[in-house]
Amino acid sequence: MVDAGHHPKINVLTYSELEEVRGFVGNFKVKVKKKPRFVIPEKCNGCGLCVDVCPIEVPNEFDEGTTTRKAIYVPFAQAVPLVYTIDMDACIECFKCIEACGKLEAIDFSQKEEIIELDIGTIIVATGYDIYDPTPIKQYGYGRYPNVLTALELERLLDESGPTMGKLYRPSDMKAPGKVAFIQCVGSRDDIHEYCSGFCCMYTIKNSLILREKYPDLDISIYYMDIRTPSKGYEEFYRRAREEGIKFIQGKPSEIAQDPNNHNLFIYSEDLAKGKAIRDEVDIVILSTAAEPRPDSRTLGSKLGVTSGPSGFYMESHPKLKPIDTPTEGVFIAGSSQGPKDIPYSVAQGSAASSRASRILSSPEWEIEPLIAFVDADKCRNVRKKCGICETRCPYGAIIAPEGKPAYVIGAKCHGCGTCVADCPEGAITQLHYTDVQIVAQIHAILREKPEEKILVFTCHWCSFGAADTAGNSHLKYPPDNRIIKVMCSGRLDRKFIYEAFRIGAGMVLASGCHPQDCHYITGQHHAERRLKAVPKILERAGISPERFSVKWMSASEGQTFSKVMKESSETLKSIGIERIKEENEKAKPELEKRIKTFREDPDVAKILLADEKVDIEA
Amino acid sequence: MEEDLRIGVFVCHCGSNIAGVIDPKKLAERASELPGVVVAKDHGYACSDPGQVLIKDSIKEYNLNRVVVSACSPRLHEPTFRVCVYEAGLNPYLMEMANIREHCTWVHPDYPEEAFEKAFDLIRSAVAKARYLAPLETIKVPVTNKALVIGAGIAGISTALDLGDMGYETYLIEKEPSIGGRMAQLDKTFPTMDCSI
Ligand code: SF4
Ligand code: SF4
Ligand code: SF4
């Protein structure tokens, strides 16, 4: 910790939060919000005289509220930097601290929030986890029974420099306990959080051994579902605890009751080894509470283009092969923000993240995909009549339509979402590698045979294609009547693709992409949503049942959602039936033909359309 | 599309991950009849060294100008196969993938026949796209060699220390007044029982 504070290459910005990220790999423009401390670091010598005079006391979050701190404070004795901070939510502005500080003049109430702008090549997200608050688990009485503690509270009580100088007392009467019990998996592996928090078994064993060392006669039991000790040296550690007389009872307590007179606690549980229900009277119960995602992790994630999985922890690019990468090139994740981790694992991930980042940082140049857009100046109508739709669509200001001149794309700024391409009324814009002709060729290939039995699914590269991959990785089965065509962003989804699919006989079409807050291209999904909203009505008017077209937004981690949507679509398809689909398609043809008119005007696309029609006539 | 199309299709078995549900040989046979396809082959593991050698050799032998790899997700192996075709002299963007593992055999093990038809459609779609692929040049961007680490708990601190030791200017931001995170709250940590700070 101190090393990081002193490192000549590391600039520590505490009391600071990420405000905004723009740009791309190697070239991020980052805004950091530095909150005012109201204390000038260079002038504060850490004497603490201000603390003595401050009249305000609030719960100390560092000690998990087991102690109090003043409105002016340092979070803990070894804090880096060792500079006082005024908590403005608590401060009453009596200014006694200014007086106490005297000639040092380190306190400055005029400090304002500051925005620092940084040029950055790579970003590593290591925002950690939160601890589950067990108050909602009523049957354990946390918050009501004084002698029920969380593991982190115990952790603070055991600290020699903590609130009780490392001594364990019953909070109700400050008497020394004779018997304590730990309860494992509180908030993990249950309805609250499905996942295993991973490190609680080990910290409970650790705390039981610390207690054993301090109080050789203390009766210690641990209620557990399974003891998980997969890492190196952990099983040995567990054995030691058993050898030292810690009792391990397999069972998840159903209830804790309290004797209202002496605050003793009664644990009601089953004991699987004995095969019976037990009741155990103890002085203190310690809940091994779950690790959970930070409450602001989604907000932060959407600033960075990092999505969260179903558990709320950040999602890696690939669970096996890219555990540190995220979908945004140049942004990496380390530590518990990706999922609960113990210290050795977090340290290892930190090193891994630094190595992934240094691949980029050590190169003078980085290669990025050339999937950009360009304008066919001859087709752009802006020359004749003011248009500029494309300019309003681009999330990056990469396409410009100067008055009286054709629009043009600034290649280095274009991220290749394809939103402008789909919204250009003249079909004047092309996206490399996701051209109209390529996508129409795919639609025709997939619908070549028995089109009415198929569900054509358009996905974006990052989220819904990822969701289909996740469904695959987890082997979540669904019916095989769907076929995917991938674009980079749902913003690329031109309505004509959907009309063309139905025109040549598709059974159903599903358009998909990311959730609005997760869009890899900021607003691409937003434009897709707006554009696709009108489609069901148009289809209905043409004679196509609206349920044959749907739009679904999902993140890359939502394999479950993908699989569910595929199952439901398949059922819808079957319930409508081939005959009705064929009838509807036949009826809708003239209207759909009108809607895809610009395809006929593009010679390459027209060729595909004609070639298929010719085959059909011959057949 | 005036140039003569010479597409090669490579169907991967992925051990039994694909071949356990559908027959890659038969898929390759059918793919070989698609317009523009001059050769279609199957291989146990397309991504392995021998698999890649097969692709590279075929590019040379059949003078291929487009390649379709029908295997796992492009989100996994697209970079691999792009490099592979590049090493055989093709522009990397002349390679297209069909995902017949994650999107097919892994999710349709109970419907081998329909899975086969779906896999063939996915290949047909990739071949159709391949017909219209154009060579592209990657864009080179400059790199600012500075890093930002968000969160100064144990993971963030170790990242920053390693990056700093490598000589990169590193910004370590922390929303609390002190760095240290959760770890600073722990007196002794397992399995060594030493102090955490
Ligand atoms: S001004 Fe605020 S921080 Fe200073 S002594 Fe008064 S309450 Fe405490
Ligand atoms: S949207 Fe199309 S027609 Fe309009 S200015 Fe842009 S390129 Fe030109
Ligand atoms: S809208 Fe998308 S594709 Fe069009 S110029 Fe902007 S970034 Fe490029």
Side-chain angles (χ1 to χ4, degrees), chain A residues 50-56 70-73 85-88 90-98 100 107 109:
Chain A
C50 50
V51 174
D52 300 338
V53 299
C54 179
I56 300 297
K70 295 291 183 70
I72 186 160
Y73 72 110
T85 303
I86 296 178
D87 170 2
M88 266 303 156
C91 171
I92 54 162
E93 302 191 34
C94 66
F95 305 129
K96 289 202 172 115
C97 49
I98 301 189
I107 297 174
F109 272 85

Side-chain angles (χ1 to χ4, degrees), chain A residues 375 379-382 387-391 399 401 406-407 420 423-429:
Chain A
V375 180
K379 283 193 189 166
C380 174
R381 69 152 79 140
N382 203 42
C387 171
I389 293 174
C390 51
E391 202 178 299
I399 188 161
C420 60
D423 273 337
C424 172
E426 299 288 332
I429 317 174

Side-chain angles (χ1 to χ4, degrees), chain B residues 48-104:
Chain B
S48 69
D49 263 344
Q52 294 196 39
V53 167
L54 174 79
I55 297 173
K56 288 180 197 169
D57 288 350
S58 308
I59 291 175
K60 290 180 193 137
E61 189 182 336
Y62 297 93
N63 199 17
L64 302 178
N65 51 21
R66 300 286 187 283
V67 167
V68 168
V69 182
S70 153
C72 52
S73 175
R75 283 167 46 107
L76 191 63
H77 270 321
E78 192 172 68
T80 316
F81 293 114
R82 278 192 178 155
V83 170
C84 168
V85 303
Y86 174 73
E87 285 172 358
L90 269 193
N91 180 285
Y93 291 89
L94 298 178
M95 191 283 304
E96 186 64 23
M97 285 185 80
N99 183 352
I100 60 165
R101 191 180 76 175
E102 284 85 343
H103 293 184
C104 191

Side-chain angles (χ1 to χ4, degrees), chain A residues 34-65:
Chain A
K34 202 164 167 41
K35 293 175 276 186
R37 280 176 185 270
F38 306 105
V39 175
I40 304 160
E42 297 75 29
K43 290 192 180 168
C44 175
N45 68 3
C47 69
L49 286 175
C50 50
V51 174
D52 300 338
V53 299
C54 179
I56 300 297
E57 286 196 17
V58 291
N60 184 349
E61 44 290 87
F62 183 74
D63 282 335
E64 292 295 310

Side-chain angles (χ1 to χ4, degrees), chain A residues 131 133 149 189 229 289 309 362 385 400 454 497 532 560 606:
Chain A
I131 298 281
D133 172 1
L149 304 175
R189 305 175 66 200
T229 57
T289 38
S362 61
K385 190 164 96 195
I400 316 246
K454 290 173 190 169
F497 298 146
L532 297 173
Q560 296 274 12

